[in-house]
Amino acid sequence: MLLEVEKSQNNWYEIKRGTAEEIIEIIANDTKGTFHGLGALDKSLRKRRGVKRLNVEMQKNFQFVYAKTGKVCTAQEALFHFFNVPIDVIAEPSDWYVYHRKPRIVEVSEDHTKILVDFAAMDMYGATFGGTCLYAMIKGKWDAYKIKPNQSENIAACLAWLEKRKGKDW
């Protein structure tokens, strides 16, 4: 089998040749964002053999660690295990993962129902670029909202901007 990814419009490149098992392994373990960036979360779930949340603790500066081992979590792992955000919502800014933007939690509401996450990457010249996503539980349902850069200073600014736009993200 051949696994390819589109780099730009109609410009494909090879990721891997191999068996179906090898191809699935490459996709499942994606931590760079070539497909989804959820490889670390997938790995933590496979260890538990199912979708069971692990005990995660929030430390200073919104750093998250597994309570049992003290190992640092990725933002995606923290969103799932600590905040109980569904996997499909965590993966929503999929186009940002494709550009290898690495998520970092920058603010959390006191009730833990709103999480501001920066997605950043470096271009080939060393300049940082990215975007901000607000993961929010609104009316009992989690969703991900891409926020316009000049409206993403903090959670309050994001919510005010979303309210003006009647819940429509960027």
Side-chain angles (χ1 to χ4, degrees), residues 8-141:
S8 60
Q9 192 172 11
N10 294 322
N11 185 12
W12 293 77
Y13 68 99
E14 181 179 320
I15 298 290
K16 175 82 175 164
R17 288 179 191 262
T19 65
E21 184 178 338
E22 290 171 325
I23 300 299
I24 290 167
E25 181 89 13
I26 293 289
I27 294 169
N29 290 325
D30 177 31
T31 57
K32 292 181 182 177
T34 305
F35 307 103
H36 51 68
L38 301 176
L41 176 57
D42 178 70
K43 190 174 184 180
S44 76
L45 293 173
R46 284 176 190 262
K47 282 182 183 177
R48 300 288 294 198
R49 295 194 177 147
V51 185
K52 295 178 183 169
R53 298 189 193 281
L54 301 174
N55 191 8
V56 169
E57 297 172 347
M58 181 168 57
Q59 299 183 332
K60 290 187 241 176
N61 300 325
F62 308 112
Q63 186 170 13
F64 295 83
V65 298
Y66 286 105
K68 193 173 182 179
T69 64
K71 182 183 174 219
V72 175
C73 300
T74 65
Q76 298 96 324
E77 290 171 295
L79 288 168
F80 180 79
H81 294 299
F82 187 84
F83 297 104
N84 298 317
V85 177
I87 294 171
D88 61 325
V89 175
I90 295 169
E92 273 187 43
S94 60
D95 53 333
W96 288 357
Y97 286 117
V98 169
Y99 293 108
H100 304 292
R101 294 181 184 183
K102 185 176 180 183
R104 180 178 60 91
I105 296 172
V106 295
E107 187 181 357
V108 176
S109 67
E110 282 193 36
D111 65 359
H112 296 175
T113 61
K114 291 161 191 69
I115 306 109
L116 193 61
V117 179
D118 276 345
F119 282 77
M122 278 192 180
D123 66 15
M124 62 184 177
Y125 304 108
T128 301
F129 67 96
T132 303
C133 185
L134 177 67
Y135 291 92
M137 183 185 287
I138 298 176
K139 297 180 182 174
K141 182 179 179 272

Side-chain angles (χ1 to χ4, degrees), residues 96 132-134 145-149 151-152 158 161-162 170:
W96 288 357
T132 303
C133 185
L134 177 67
Y145 302 91
K146 292 180 189 174
I147 306 296
K148 190 173 181 181
Q151 303 296 318
S152 64
C158 294
W161 181 74
L162 282 169
W170 188 40

